[in-house]
Every structure is written in C-alpha cells, then in structure tokens.
C-alpha cells in the first residue's frame, strides 16, 4: 500500500511562481491553487497512491525558533496574493476529502518525517512530495522523496530513492543534515560554518563522511589551513545548524495512512467550488457534474416530434411563432446534421440530415432560414458562411452565444457550448461517451444530443443578454459584433482571386535564389551543413569561424534572429544566412503555402476569427492574410498576386495613423490634437517637440526616431526596446521617451491615470465598452505587473481602433448593398479594407469607402483615409 503526503506550503509556493496570474470570476487570485491541483493530478496519474494527505505549516514559532532566534529571520513574508490562496486550497482539499495535517510548534517537514516513520512501522510505502531538499534526510528503503522544481515555467519532478540520492550526492541520505550543518542554508537562515560554502562542504563530506568525522580529523593535513581555521572557529555554529536542520520524526501528530485512503477527484460540493474558482479544466477532466442537473434539463425533454425534413419545412412555412418568438439552431460546420427548434410555448424540434434529402435540401434550408424568421445560434458566422453556399442570405440573426461570451470574457481559453452552460446557466449538458471517451450519437435518436445543444442556446441567450446589459456592452454587441458576422461570412464566401501562374513563378524564383545563397554559405563555412539546424549552425559560427557568441546552453548555441543581427558586421556569412532564412520563409509560407489553399474557383477563402484576440482585432487563418511581409519590396511582390478578375478592379482604403489619432482623442493632449486638426505631419511635429527644433529644421533621422517613439508609446514600449529598434544607446532612448512625455503632458497624464483606474476597476475598456480584465496589476511579480500596465495603457487605444474598423466594415457593406452596387468587401488587414468591384463602379466605391470610414466615429480629431484603385493589391495600395 502506498501513502503519498505532500508538503503543502512548499508546493503551493512553487505553483504560485510557476503559473501565470489567474483570477476566479469574483476576482480571487487562483494561480497557486490551480498549479497545486495540476501537480497533484499528474502525481496521482503517475504514482497511483492508495492514500493521500497534505501537510501544512502553522503560523507561529516552532521549537527551532526557541533554539535559535535567527531561524528563518531573513525570510520574506508570503506575497499577499499567495496568502489569499492558502485557505482556498485548504477548502478545495477538504471538498476532495484529502486529509490535511498541521501541528502547532512544528513544521510541515516534521509531519512528513513522522509520516515516514509511521509508514515504516505499519508496512506502508511512503512517498513524500516537496520542493525542498531538507526532506532528503527522510529517505529510507520504504520512503522516497519526489522533488518538485520549476525550470523555464515548466514543473519537473525527480524521484529520489536511497540509490538515486547516493548516485547524485556521493553519500547516504541521512547525512544531508551534516552537509547543511557545514554549508548552512540561507533560505532558513541556518548559519552553518561561516566561510564554508557548498563546494567545500561537499568536498569535506566526500572525504570524511559525516560532520563528526570532519571534526574528528580536523587536524588532518588533507584539510587546508584556511578551511581548518573556519571549522574550528565555527564548531558551535555547526552543531547548532545540525540541530536546526534535523527533521524530527516524533511530532505530536497522529498520522494514520489507513484513515487517508482516497477514492479520487470527487466529493460533495466539488462542482460548486470549481465553478466558483473558474476551474473549467478540472470540471471537464474529472467529469464533475452539478447537483440538480437533471431537474434543470427536464424542461427540454420530449420536445422532438419529427425527424422528417419536409415536415420541418412545412411547419416553418406555417409557424407564426417563428416570426414572434424566433427559432434556435444547432448546426455542425458541414451541415451534416442540424437541429431546428421552433419558438413559442409548445416548442418543436427537427433533425435535418443532408444526406437523406439530396436535391431538395437547399430549398428546405432556404425555407427554414428565411429572412422573416428570427434566428439565434452558436458561432453563427460559420453557419452563415455555409448557408451562403446554399444560396441563403445571412439575415435576421438575432443572437450568437459564442460571440456574447467572448465579449464578456475576451481572454477565456474557449467558448464551447457546454462550458458556457456551466458558467452562465448552472447546468451541464448530459454526455454519452463510448469506451474510448468519445462522444457518440444515440442510434435512431441521434437528434437528442443536438436537441440539447439547441436547448442550451435558448437558455444562454437569456443569460448572456442580461450580462451584456449589466456591463453596458449592448451597443458593442448589437451594432458592431453581431452584424459583422454576416459581413465576414460574405467575405469568406467570396474570397480573393490569386494569380496562380505568377505565384508559381515567384516560388520558382525563390528556389533559385535559395540555391545560390546555400552554395555561398557552404563556401564561406568551408563545406556543406544543415543551415536549418540551430545546432549545426551554432557549431559553424561559434566553433569553426570563432564568431563572438552568447552563453552556450545545454541545447547548444543560440542562433536566433537577435543573435545573428548583432553579428552582421562580424562576418559575411551572417548576411547570407539572414537572407537565406528570409527567402525560405517566403517560399514555405507564401509561395508554397498560398498555392495549397487556392480553391477550385481560383480564390483563397480565408477564415476571419472573431473570438481570439483580447483587443477585439480580427485575425485571419487558413491562411493568415494579415501577416503579409511589411518590407516594401517583398510585400509588394506578394500583394501583386492578389488580383481582380477581368473587367474588375480592387479599391483599397487605409486609415492614416488611426491609433495615434485615438491616443490624441483619448488622452486629451491638445498639442497632438492640434497637429491632427491642422493636417500636420505628426511624426515631424513630434520630432520638433522632442528635439526642441523648429519644424523646418527637423531632419529625416529625427523624424524616423520620432515615428518610432510615437508608435512605441501606443504599445507601451520600453527604453530598452526603443533603443534596439532605432539603434541608439538605452540612455538616449529613455531621454527620447522622457522628452516625449514632457512635451505631450496629456499623454503622460493618461498613462498614469489609466493604470490607476485599471487597478481600481480591475479592467480597462474601449470607447465602445469592450473590456479587458487585468488581474496582472495586482500581483507582486514586477515583470508580470509591468505587462499588465502596458496592456492597460494600450488596450483602450488598440481596442477602440478595432471597434472602429469593425463598425466601418458594417457600414461599408450596408452602403454598398443600399446603393445596389455589385461591389463586394473581400479583405480586411489591420487598418485596411479592400473591395472588389466592376471598373465602372470604382470611383463610386472609393468615395463610399472614404466617407463611411472617415465618418464612422465622432472624435476630437479627424479620421482620414487614403483610398486608391488598382488591378492588384499592390497597385490599389497606391
């Protein structure tokens, strides 16, 4: 039988510093609790203990403090956000029925030692789990220590048995106390022998075996005179340290492994506490169900009366309830299955199967999803895109539960329907899993699972509408996000045309250039090697060519871009390697990558994701069309291959410095506002302010540096990063930032005020009410807190820019339709919109884009747009 006992204080400390800040929905910090339970889960999975317990320190002096007043005197107090989590962890352990042990006047280590003794006396195997090495002295034939440590944000464990300890240390486990008596322990303020460090102490232990052996032979010629003097002078300190470092195995606590038998991650009230803490991961992993789930779901039972598509279509045509109360949809992305539930008091649901209704399936869908029928769903943009394939326009969609949940918590890990039900409605969707844990359909009654999804949408709409109203997000949701779904669905459906032959030729040209560069690199290196292998490249650069390098790690030399950039002037091979990397990236990502995703219609149909970024910006995947290289030559060449069909053109409209204009508006800085109102070159104005020279004396270099400061301020850039960007000393970069904030005092005050309000409110918001919660501002770790401050400064600006762009897309799309134009919005990239239209409509479209984008928001500074027309993307950028 195996008894596992954990050192609670040690492990929660390591979890706290190893897991990024997390907060429960009520604001309680939870990262240490989450990390602790995650470690416990992995230990249980790997070790399979029969009994489980956790030992905690008790606040107050111990018998060691009575021996030595200075014991642990230098140890800092527990951070406030960690201390708040200890009682939460204990509460969760109690719910999980994991026994806790505490003993006033003694430490958790002493409870661990006592547990080891009891196990030996009663025939149990004992596993001690801790992050401290003190417990190594407890290792015996039947007791071993699993040591926890964190490296690079990852938790690692090592199992120390008697033999494993001897192999690493060279002496038996009990004598770790002797080692500590010699070298001391700064974390516990155990003095040891003054002047004797770990290296000397280890050498003495290997020579003489024990502390007593060292002093018995202190006059041995094998001990250097300097060390001998320190040992003799520090003998009393060594004896005291030995006493302090020794873990007692007789603590007055009744540890009984038999009373700690454990039956797994379950317990009354477990769902409630996990939900309160926001631990959805563990709710899913442990398959925890809320109490009363069946009662909650009864309202949705027995609502399916037919699975016939034709019956559903006929009912939809006749059902007045659909127009009044609406309908709720669950569809998978490929429309292989779809449940359609009618509204009204007597709800009826239908299962639609595409394969069963070959030719008339499209007609039925057009009937069921008719414009006059109000519809709600989950991830409706994807549903709308599929419906467009069947000729169904995306009209009268009243709610999207995934999108609403995203606005309420933009940094959540996902917005799956079952998770949202647990979070906002308090019930679980019932599951039926097969023996492999995969969800299965229920034979002839497969509609029941989809019916549950549909029922969940019904409940969630009410709950999420209420939350949106409570947080003042109704305008953001109903005027921007929800109508944008249809715009994006149409953009994805239409796609953008690609010149395939030009793209293929471009790829062939890159291959030729790569081959030439490869041979040049081989010649400079003195022979062939794998240029793409960091290990082989590091050997060539830093061992064969003897270039200056940074610190070598156990994985080899670093050859990342930052390292190579610093070596540009050290050897001609560096420029060749950097150019080689550029060309191979262009070849794989764009030449080859784009060719792979061109559809049969010759177009690329990217997917615009709406629920990924915390700022509200759209992202593009499969493929990502928002990461086209910004370098003019490379970017222009690739953009040339995005073309308009014969007889049509592309119209490109790009906001000019929208984030700087928003900074001026939000901060209220009058100098910056005036520059924009008068149409001045803002970078030139900034250079004049920062360098203290008249506008006409601003040089190109000054303007370039000022531009970097302008955009850097928006993103919360540090002096170090700015120095790297513009190639100056860090002190000089800091002087630029200081001068900027001195001149633009409105911006300086905004930077201070927004952080203070974020600390008070716990979040920042955009002009349209989009929120970003910032638990990072309350942590003690400087780097994490600094990250939170940067986000607090830049999110209202970046997020407002995203909101304005989205609203502009909605307005442009409506205007194009209203004027009966053939023009279609096909791409959005950062601050840029691209429309494809007949040549005859081009000038009208250019005017529409300019007007709608510039007039979409009323700010204290003008929004300006540059709009151009061309046969391909490069020409249209102007």
């Amino acid at each position: 039988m195996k008894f596992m006992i954990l050192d609670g204080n040690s492990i929660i400390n390591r979890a706290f510093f190893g897991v990024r800040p997390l907060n429960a929905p009520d604001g309680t910090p939870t990262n240490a609790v989450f990390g602790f339970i995650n470690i416990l889960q992995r230990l249980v999975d790997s070790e399979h203990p029969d009994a489980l317990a956790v030992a905690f320190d008790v606040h107050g002096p111990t018998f060691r403090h009575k021996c030595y007043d200075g014991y642990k005197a230098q140890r800092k107090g527990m951070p406030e956000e960690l201390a708040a989590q200890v009682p939460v962890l204990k509460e969760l352990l109690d719910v999980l029925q994991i026994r806790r042990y505490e003993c006033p006047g003694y430490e958790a280590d002493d409870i661990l030692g006592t547990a080891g003794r009891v196990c030996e006396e009663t025939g149990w195997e004992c596993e001690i789990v801790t992050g401290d090495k003190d417990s190594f002295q407890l290792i015996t034939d039947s007791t071993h220590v699993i040591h926890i440590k964190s490296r690079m944000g990852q938790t690692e464990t090592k199992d120390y048995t008697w033999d494993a300890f001897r192999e690493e240390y060279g002496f038996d486990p009990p004598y770790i106390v002797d080692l500590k008596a010699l070298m001391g322990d700064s974390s516990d303020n155990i003095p040891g022998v003054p002047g004797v460090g770990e290296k000397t102490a280890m050498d003495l232990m290997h020579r003489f075996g024990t502390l007593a052996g060292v002093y018995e032979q202190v006059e041995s010629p094998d001990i250097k005179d300097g060390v001998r003097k320190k040992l003799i002078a520090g003998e009393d300190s060594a004896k005291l340290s030995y006493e302090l470092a020794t873990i007692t195995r007789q603590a007055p606590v009744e540890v009984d492994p038999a009373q700690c038998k454990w039956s797994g991650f379950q317990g009354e009230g477990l769902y409630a506490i996990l939900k309160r803490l926001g631990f959805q991961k563990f709710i899913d992993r442990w398959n925890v169900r809320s109490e009363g789930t069946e009662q909650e779901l009864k309202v949705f039972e027995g609502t399916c009366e037919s699975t016939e598509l034709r019956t559903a279509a006929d009912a939809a045509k006749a059902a007045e309830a659909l127009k009044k109360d609406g309908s709720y949809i669950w569809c998978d992305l490929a429309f292989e299955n779809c449940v359609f539930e009618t509204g009204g008091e007597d709800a009826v649901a239908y299962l639609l199967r595409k394969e069963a209704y070959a030719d008339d399936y499209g007609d039925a869908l057009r009937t069921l999803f008719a414009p006059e029928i109000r519809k709600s769903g989950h991830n409706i943009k994807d549903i709308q895109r599929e419906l467009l394939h069947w000729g169904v326009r995306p009209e009268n969609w009243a709610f999207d539960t995934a999108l609403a949940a995203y606005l309420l918590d933009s940094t959540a890990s996902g917005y799956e329907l079952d998770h949202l039900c647990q979070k906002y409605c308090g019930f679980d969707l019932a599951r039926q899993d097969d023996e492999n844990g995969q969800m299965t359909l229920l034979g002839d009654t497969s509609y029941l699972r989809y019916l549950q999804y549909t029922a969940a949408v019904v409940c969630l709409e009410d709950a999420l509408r209420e939350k949106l109203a409570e947080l003042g997000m109704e305008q953001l949701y109903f005027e921007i996000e929800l109508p944008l779904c249809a715009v994006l669905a149409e953009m994805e459906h239409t796609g953008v045309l690609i010149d395939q032959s030009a793209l293929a030729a471009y790829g062939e040209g890159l291959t030729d250039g790569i081959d030439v560069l490869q041979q040049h690199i081989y010649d400079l290196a003195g022979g062939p090697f794998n240029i793409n292998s960091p290990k082989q490249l590091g050997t060539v650069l830093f061992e064969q060519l003897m270039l200056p390098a940074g610190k070598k790690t156990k994985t080899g030399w670093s050859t990342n871009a930052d390292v190579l950039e610093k070596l540009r002037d050290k050897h001609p091979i560096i420029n060749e390697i950097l150019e080689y990397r550029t060309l191979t990236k262009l070849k794989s990502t764009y030449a080859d990558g784009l060719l792979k995703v061109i559809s049969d219609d010759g177009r690329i149909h990217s997917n615009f994701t709406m629920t990924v970024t915390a700022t509200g910006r759209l992202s593009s995947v499969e493929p990502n069309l928002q990461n086209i290289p910004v370098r003019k030559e490379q970017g222009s060449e690739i953009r040339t291959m995005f073309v308009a069909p014969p007889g049509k053109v592309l119209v490109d409209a790009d906001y000019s410095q929208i984030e700087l204009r928003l900074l001026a508006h939000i901060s209220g800085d009058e100098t910056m506002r005036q520059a924009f109102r008068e149409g001045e070159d803002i970078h030139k104005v900034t250079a004049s302010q920062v360098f203290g020279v008249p506008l006409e004396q601003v040089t190109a270099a000054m303007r370039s540096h000022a531009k970097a400061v302008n955009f850097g301020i928006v993103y919360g850039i540090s002096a170090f990063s700015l120095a790297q960007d513009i190639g100056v000393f860090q002190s000089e970069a800091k002087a630029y930032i200081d001068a900027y904030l001195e001149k633009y005092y409105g911006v300086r005050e905004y930077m201070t005020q927004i952080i203070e309000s974020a600390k008070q409110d716990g979040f920042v918001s955009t002009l349209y009410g989009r929120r970003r919660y910032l638990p990072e501002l309350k942590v003690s770790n400087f780097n994490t807190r600094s990250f939170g401050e940067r986000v607090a400064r830049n999110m209202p600006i970046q997020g407002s820019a995203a909101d304005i762009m989205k609203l502009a897309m909605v307005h442009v799309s409506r205007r194009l339709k209203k004027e009966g134009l053939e023009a279609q919005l096909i791409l959005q990239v950062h601050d840029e919109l691209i429309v494809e239209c007949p040549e005859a409509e081009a000038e009208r479209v250019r005017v529409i884009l300019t007007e709608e984008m510039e007039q979409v928001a009323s700010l204290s500074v003008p929004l300006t747009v540059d709009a151009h027309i061309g046969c391909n993307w490069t020409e249209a950028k102007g």
Side-chain angles (χ1 to χ4, degrees):
M1 302 285 282
K2 183 187 293 184
F3 176 49
M4 176 183 287
I5 184 165
L6 289 76
D7 183 344
N9 292 80
S10 170
I11 296 174
I12 196 173
N13 265 281
R14 277 152 182 78
F16 175 74
F17 291 106
V19 178
R20 68 176 178 84
L22 298 173
N23 281 65
D26 64 2
T28 303
T30 57
N31 64 319
V33 179
F34 182 90
F36 187 104
I37 300 300
N38 211 34
I39 290 171
L40 177 61
Q41 170 80 65
R42 294 207 306 270
L43 288 168
V44 168
D45 289 346
S46 61
E47 302 299 321
H48 306 291
D50 300 290
L52 191 60
V54 181
F56 285 97
D57 293 332
V58 176
H59 184 68
T62 67
F63 71 90
R64 293 180 179 85
H65 291 90
K66 297 177 182 178
C67 295
Y68 178 49
D69 289 341
Y71 182 66
K72 293 190 176 181
Q74 297 178 351
R75 181 172 290 187
K76 293 182 179 179
M78 186 179 288
E80 182 180 343
E81 56 269 26
L82 172 55
Q85 298 185 62
V86 174
V88 177
L89 173 62
K90 291 180 179 180
E91 179 187 1
L92 180 53
L93 292 174
D94 291 345
V95 171
L96 288 169
Q97 303 175 68
I98 297 174
R99 184 72 176 268
R100 292 189 289 112
Y101 288 105
E102 299 173 1
C103 186
Y106 292 81
E107 298 180 57
D109 286 347
D110 302 313
I111 299 173
L112 302 179
T114 302
R117 174 185 59 79
V118 170
C119 285
E120 292 166 19
E121 293 172 353
T122 55
W124 282 72
E125 177 187 351
C126 184
E127 285 185 330
I128 294 172
V129 183
T130 180
D132 296 331
K133 295 182 179 180
D134 300 6
S135 294
F136 287 169
Q137 63 188 274
L138 303 175
I139 297 172
T140 65
D141 289 340
S142 60
T143 298
H144 59 110
V145 171
I146 298 177
H147 186 248
I148 306 286
K149 64 179 179 179
S150 297
R151 288 176 55 88
M152 306 295 289
Q154 299 294 320
T155 300
E156 299 177 358
T157 61
K158 183 171 181 179
D159 193 353
Y160 281 91
T161 61
W162 187 282
D163 291 339
F165 179 90
R166 272 199 61 85
E167 183 179 350
E168 182 170 326
Y169 282 84
F171 51 82
D172 290 341
Y175 300 121
I176 192 77
V177 181
D178 303 60
L179 178 67
K180 272 203 167 190
L182 289 167
M183 63 181 277
D185 184 346
S186 59
S187 65
D188 289 340
N189 203 32
I190 295 176
V193 176
V196 172
E198 182 177 4
K199 184 177 180 181
T200 300
M202 287 290 289
D203 179 64
L204 292 170
M205 288 296 297
H206 290 154
R207 288 173 181 271
F208 304 106
T210 65
L211 179 66
V214 169
Y215 278 99
E216 286 172 2
Q217 302 185 58
V218 72
E219 300 295 341
S220 169
D222 290 338
I223 300 178
K224 296 179 181 179
D225 290 340
V227 175
R228 182 182 298 108
K229 289 178 181 178
K230 294 174 183 176
L231 288 170
I232 293 172
E235 184 172 2
D236 289 343
S237 180
K239 291 178 180 177
L240 172 64
S241 298
Y242 185 91
E243 185 177 353
L244 294 173
T246 300
I247 294 174
T248 181
R249 292 162 61 87
Q250 300 290 338
V253 58
E254 295 184 6
V255 178
D256 185 354
Q259 293 183 1
C260 300
K261 288 187 177 181
W262 189 63
S263 55
F265 292 100
Q266 55 186 321
E268 184 178 352
L270 181 56
Y271 177 87
I273 188 171
L274 291 177
K275 182 183 178 186
R276 191 185 87 212
L277 296 176
F279 287 176
Q280 186 62 51
K281 173 181 177 180
F282 296 117
I283 290 176
D284 294 341
R285 179 181 292 176
W286 301 337
N287 197 27
V288 183
R289 295 298 166 198
S290 62
E291 294 80 3
T293 295
E294 292 183 2
Q295 182 178 0
E296 292 281 357
L297 286 176
K298 280 182 180 178
V299 67
F300 304 120
E301 290 178 358
T303 56
C304 184
E305 296 182 358
S306 173
T307 59
E308 291 295 327
L309 177 60
R310 181 52 57 197
T311 304
D314 292 342
K317 291 176 183 178
E320 290 297 321
L322 289 177
K323 301 174 186 178
K324 179 180 178 182
D325 299 311
S327 58
Y328 298 87
I329 312 298
W330 176 266
C331 304
D332 73 358
L333 294 184
F335 271 88
E336 293 174 358
N337 295 289
C338 172
V339 165
F340 186 99
E341 180 177 325
T342 67
E345 294 182 0
D346 300 323
V348 179
Y350 306 94
L351 174 65
L352 285 59
R353 288 190 175 280
K354 180 173 67 175
E355 66 274 12
Y357 307 94
D359 295 334
D360 58 356
Y361 187 72
D363 291 337
L365 285 177
R366 285 187 285 276
T367 301
L368 288 171
F369 291 88
E372 63 270 18
I373 297 177
R374 175 195 181 280
K375 299 167 284 289
S376 294
H378 190 75
N379 286 320
I380 67 171
K381 187 262 294 180
D382 296 327
I383 300 174
Q384 290 171 340
R385 174 176 172 171
E386 292 298 328
L387 284 170
L388 282 166
H389 173 73
W390 295 96
V392 181
R393 305 305 305 172
E395 299 175 319
N396 201 7
W397 284 85
F399 207 81
D400 182 341
T401 49
L403 197 55
Y406 162 68
L407 289 192
L408 296 174
D409 185 2
S410 63
T411 58
S413 58
Y415 305 96
E416 293 81 7
L417 201 63
D418 51 349
H419 294 174
L420 298 184
C421 282
Q422 294 165 346
K423 184 174 182 178
Y424 294 104
C425 300
F427 67 81
D428 299 286
L429 296 177
R431 297 180 64 91
Q432 175 157 328
D433 298 341
D434 63 19
E435 60 184 7
N436 298 316
Q438 300 296 315
M439 191 184 302
T440 57
L441 296 180
L442 311 178
D444 294 336
T445 57
S446 58
Y447 64 85
L448 289 176
R449 181 62 182 162
Y450 293 105
L451 179 57
Q452 286 187 326
Y453 284 144
T454 312
V457 173
V458 177
C459 279
L460 279 168
E461 178 172 347
D462 290 339
L464 295 175
R465 275 181 180 272
E466 183 177 340
K467 290 292 291 183
L468 290 171
E470 179 185 326
L471 299 181
M473 290 186 173
E474 290 174 299
Q475 179 192 13
L476 174 65
Y477 183 76
F478 290 106
E479 295 183 16
I480 300 178
E481 294 287 351
L482 192 65
L484 184 66
C485 292
V487 176
L488 294 176
E490 291 173 343
M491 289 169 60
E492 293 175 2
H493 177 71
T494 303
V496 57
L497 188 64
I498 297 293
D499 187 337
Q500 295 187 56
S501 60
L503 186 59
Y506 174 69
E508 291 172 3
L510 288 174
T511 299
D512 292 341
I514 291 168
D515 291 343
V516 171
L517 280 171
Q518 179 176 273
Q519 190 56 53
H520 286 176
I521 293 169
Y522 290 167
D523 292 343
L524 291 167
F529 67 99
N530 185 353
I531 304 171
N532 297 313
S533 165
K535 184 175 182 180
Q536 292 187 35
L537 180 59
T539 300
V540 169
L541 296 181
F542 306 124
E543 296 179 19
Q544 293 176 207
L545 299 179
M546 301 300 291
L547 295 177
K551 184 178 179 181
K552 186 176 182 180
T553 67
K554 65 180 183 180
T555 58
W557 300 102
S558 174
T559 59
N560 62 30
D562 290 338
V563 171
L564 296 188
E565 283 291 343
K566 294 175 183 177
L567 297 173
R568 272 192 184 274
D569 61 345
K570 304 297 183 183
H571 196 285
I573 198 174
I574 300 299
N575 284 331
E576 302 285 285
I577 291 169
L578 288 170
E579 184 64 16
Y580 174 87
R581 286 183 174 180
T582 297
L583 295 189
T584 54
K585 172 70 173 177
L586 290 172
K587 177 77 166 65
S588 62
T589 303
Y590 301 105
D592 297 341
L594 293 179
L595 281 172
K596 292 177 181 177
V597 293
I598 297 175
S599 299
D600 293 340
D601 60 2
R603 291 175 173 263
I604 288 177
H605 300 268
S606 183
N607 181 17
F608 292 94
T609 56
M610 303 179 69
T611 60
V612 173
T613 68
T615 61
R617 275 191 177 274
L618 295 171
S619 58
S620 168
V621 296
E622 298 176 351
N624 183 356
L625 297 181
Q626 298 192 334
N627 69 342
I628 302 296
V630 296
R631 283 176 57 179
K632 186 172 180 60
E633 181 180 347
Q634 295 166 351
S636 293
E637 192 168 1
I638 294 170
R639 286 185 174 93
T640 301
M641 297 157 205
F642 290 75
V643 299
K648 293 188 177 184
V649 292
L650 302 181
V651 184
D652 183 295
D654 197 351
Y655 275 118
S656 174
Q657 301 165 339
I658 185 173
E659 290 185 349
L660 289 178
R661 293 171 189 271
L662 283 165
L663 176 60
H665 173 78
I666 292 172
S667 70
D669 188 280
E670 195 53 41
T671 302
M672 189 176 286
R673 286 182 174 184
Q674 191 67 22
F676 281 123
R677 288 179 188 138
E678 295 179 359
E680 296 277 6
D681 180 337
I682 188 63
H683 302 312
K684 200 170 182 179
V685 170
T686 297
S688 174
Q689 294 286 326
V690 170
F691 295 105
V693 299
L695 275 174
E696 61 272 13
Q697 294 181 21
V698 171
T699 66
M702 288 178 179
R703 184 185 183 279
S704 177
H705 287 180
K707 181 177 180 180
V709 177
N710 269 330
F711 287 117
I713 289 292
V714 174
Y715 289 90
I717 198 168
S718 65
F720 174 80
S721 298
L722 179 61
Q724 295 286 103
D725 290 346
I726 63 179
V728 299
F729 290 113
Q730 187 171 338
S731 58
E732 190 175 351
K734 183 178 185 303
Y736 290 163
I737 294 175
D738 290 345
Y740 178 100
L741 295 176
E742 181 65 28
K743 298 296 183 181
Y744 291 120
Y745 56 85
V747 175
R748 182 185 70 233
E749 291 177 1
Y750 162 74
M751 297 293 187
T752 302
Q753 176 271 327
I754 193 65
I755 291 173
E756 290 306 312
S757 63
K759 288 178 179 177
Q760 181 177 338
D761 299 335
F763 65 88
V764 290
S765 58
T766 68
L767 295 175
Y768 294 85
R770 185 185 303 276
R771 291 189 179 189
R772 168 74 184 268
Y773 292 91
L774 291 168
E776 295 88 352
L777 293 175
K778 296 183 178 180
V779 304
S780 57
N781 181 274
F782 175 78
N783 290 334
T784 302
R785 194 170 62 252
S786 296
F787 166 77
E789 291 176 355
R790 288 196 300 275
V791 172
R793 288 192 293 263
N794 64 44
M795 191 277 172
I797 298 163
Q798 294 178 34
S800 294
D803 293 342
I804 287 173
M805 172 54 81
K806 287 179 172 180
L807 189 57
M809 294 172 71
V810 173
H811 286 191
V812 166
S813 179
R814 285 176 180 168
R815 178 88 175 270
L816 294 175
K817 289 182 173 66
K818 182 179 179 181
E819 298 200 9
L821 299 176
E822 190 179 329
Q824 292 179 291
L825 188 59
I826 60 170
L827 270 182
Q828 182 272 331
V829 180
H830 305 309
D831 303 327
E832 180 181 356
L833 293 181
I834 302 169
V835 171
E836 179 184 288
C837 67
E839 293 179 17
E841 295 179 358
E843 186 55 36
R844 184 60 190 152
V845 169
R846 189 187 67 79
V847 171
I848 289 173
L849 278 168
T850 303
E851 289 180 352
E852 295 298 335
M853 291 174 71
E854 290 185 344
Q855 297 170 15
V856 71
S858 297
L859 305 178
S860 56
V861 297
L863 287 174
T864 60
V865 170
D866 297 320
H868 303 278
I869 302 167
C871 293
N872 59 57
W873 191 357
T874 298
E875 287 184 9
K877 280 204 57 87

